[in-house]
Amino acid sequence: MRRLQLVPYNTNLNFMGFRFITFIIAGAITLASLTGLMTKGLNYGVDFRGGFILEVRTPQTPNIPELRDKLSALGLGEVVLQEFGDARDLIIKVERQEGDDHAQENAIERIKMTLGSGVDYRKIETVGPKVGSELVQNGLKAVAFALLAMLVYIAVRFEWQFALCAILALAHDCIAILGLFSLLPFEFNETAIIAILITAGYSINDTIVIFDRIRENIHKYKKLSIGELINKSLNETLSRTTLTATTTLLALVALYLFGGKVISTFSLPIIIGIIIGSFSSICLAAPLLSFLKLKRGEEGKG
């Protein structure tokens, strides 16, 4: 049976020939992201900014889109609805209101009036700004530790040159996603941390596949220069990279189009992250190796 081949087998794109163009693009993305983070900051959601959370059970299965519209019309700012457990169970998150405790109590009463009678309020708790700040720090620490663990893994499996290039590409991906949440009207919440980690995981997996081929070709083709080896390796893995990215994006686009508001908001940053991750593994991580002196071993001499 013939395998699906999105990219012709004999493709010979000169990635190394336009590496400086892709470096400029990556630099522009990084600069724009850092500028957005420093000037606009992040649009923190309820999880990080503080607010209150209601855990309720409605007498009947609620119409989530209709209920979300009603609660949004109250003018309380960000309102997040999440289903959990039974179909009648809901978690309602509302951002902290301006004013004292009376303002918070008034907002809760307005929500109760909108929900109507017969609702079982199982839990009502407040998330203070201090707790939200700690969540932000813990989330960013989780990303930093994940990147560090990947760095150690690559340094052990390959050489330090591979680890350095991979971590630079990963840093580019994470900064780009953070910039996305800063420059576009996306809320930075717990799902944003997940989006960053998914992007990093996808990108490093793609990068390792390419690095494996480069290391294999270093010992296989003794007379090729490092630039030619990288080019050859990228072309040999391009079909796999394209196929993996395409199938992943098809699933994510389906979630974005048909998954509803909450899932769409979650899947869009991941879609962009997959594109950025594929770009960095092909056009950033591998070409950067040409600037470092790779060990070619005894088989690489001649």
Side-chain angles (χ1 to χ4, degrees):
M1 182 180 291
R2 188 176 179 180
R3 294 184 300 174
L4 179 62
Q5 194 85 20
L6 294 180
V7 177
Y9 179 76
N10 59 348
T11 298
N12 188 27
L13 297 176
N14 187 13
F15 292 101
M16 297 300 291
F18 51 78
R19 66 187 183 278
F20 292 109
I21 297 176
T22 56
F23 289 167
I24 291 172
I25 294 173
I29 292 173
T30 303
L31 181 61
S33 300
L34 290 174
T35 302
L37 289 168
M38 288 186 292
T39 57
K40 295 182 63 178
L42 294 169
N43 179 27
Y44 293 117
V46 173
D47 297 324
F48 295 150
R49 189 168 59 241
F52 47 90
I53 301 173
L54 295 84
E55 184 178 315
V56 304
R57 166 167 285 190
T58 57
Q60 299 176 346
T61 302
N63 184 326
I64 301 297
E66 181 181 332
L67 183 57
R68 183 179 290 112
D69 291 340
K70 287 182 178 179
L71 292 174
S72 297
L74 296 177
L76 301 176
E78 180 194 357
V79 179
V80 178
L81 270 71
Q82 295 178 344
E83 296 178 271
F84 77 103
D86 191 273
R88 296 179 298 152
D89 293 337
L90 288 175
I91 291 179
I92 303 172
K93 300 180 181 180
V94 183
E95 69 177 65
R96 183 173 179 82
Q97 306 299 300
E98 293 185 5
D100 54 13
D101 291 341
H102 180 72
Q104 317 309 318
E105 294 171 2
N106 181 56
I108 293 174
E109 289 303 319
R110 292 174 64 188
I111 292 173
K112 289 182 176 181
M113 290 177 62
T114 303
L115 293 176
S117 59
V119 176
D120 179 16
Y121 295 91
R122 299 187 165 188
K123 183 171 64 175
I124 300 177
E125 61 182 23
T126 301
V127 179
K130 183 178 179 181
V131 174
S133 177
E134 291 176 354
L135 286 174
V136 173
Q137 294 177 14
N138 291 336
L140 295 178
K141 284 179 182 178
V143 174
F145 286 141
L147 294 179
L148 180 61
M150 293 176 188
L151 172 63
V152 172
Y153 169 75
I154 298 172
V156 171
R157 179 168 176 178
F158 300 95
E159 289 80 32
W160 67 266
Q161 295 96 328
F162 289 91
L164 177 61
C165 293
I167 211 67
L168 286 174
L170 278 178
H172 163 271
D173 298 341
C174 294
I175 291 172
I177 295 297
L178 285 171
L180 181 71
F181 280 95
S182 175
L183 297 172
L184 298 181
F186 293 155
E187 292 175 357
F188 189 80
N189 47 32
E190 290 176 338
T191 57
I193 299 294
I194 297 172
I196 294 173
L197 291 173
I198 288 175
T199 299
Y202 179 90
S203 177
I204 198 63
N205 177 70
D206 217 19
T207 300
I208 286 175
V209 170
I210 296 172
F211 281 179
D212 262 332
R213 184 57 59 90
I214 291 173
R215 185 173 60 175
E216 176 185 334
N217 285 340
I218 280 178
H219 299 292
K220 187 176 181 181
Y221 299 97
K222 303 177 182 180
K223 296 184 179 180
L224 292 182
S225 67
I226 291 296
E228 291 171 328
L229 279 168
I230 293 172
N231 232 11
K232 183 174 182 61
S233 302
L234 286 170
N235 280 284
E236 288 177 350
T237 56
L238 187 59
S239 178
R240 182 265 179 198
T241 299
T242 306
L243 184 61
T244 303
T246 301
T247 52
T248 305
L249 288 173
L250 284 174
L252 288 168
V253 169
L255 288 174
Y256 175 74
L257 294 175
F258 309 111
K261 183 177 179 180
V262 175
I263 295 179
S264 296
T265 303
F266 171 65
S267 53
L268 181 57
I270 300 178
I271 290 173
I272 300 173
I274 295 300
I275 297 172
I276 292 173
S278 299
F279 165 79
S280 70
S281 60
I282 296 173
C283 301
L284 194 57
L288 281 173
L289 286 170
S290 63
F291 296 99
L292 302 174
K293 190 173 181 180
L294 291 176
K295 293 180 181 179
R296 303 193 64 168
E298 293 298 325
E299 292 179 272
K301 296 179 180 179

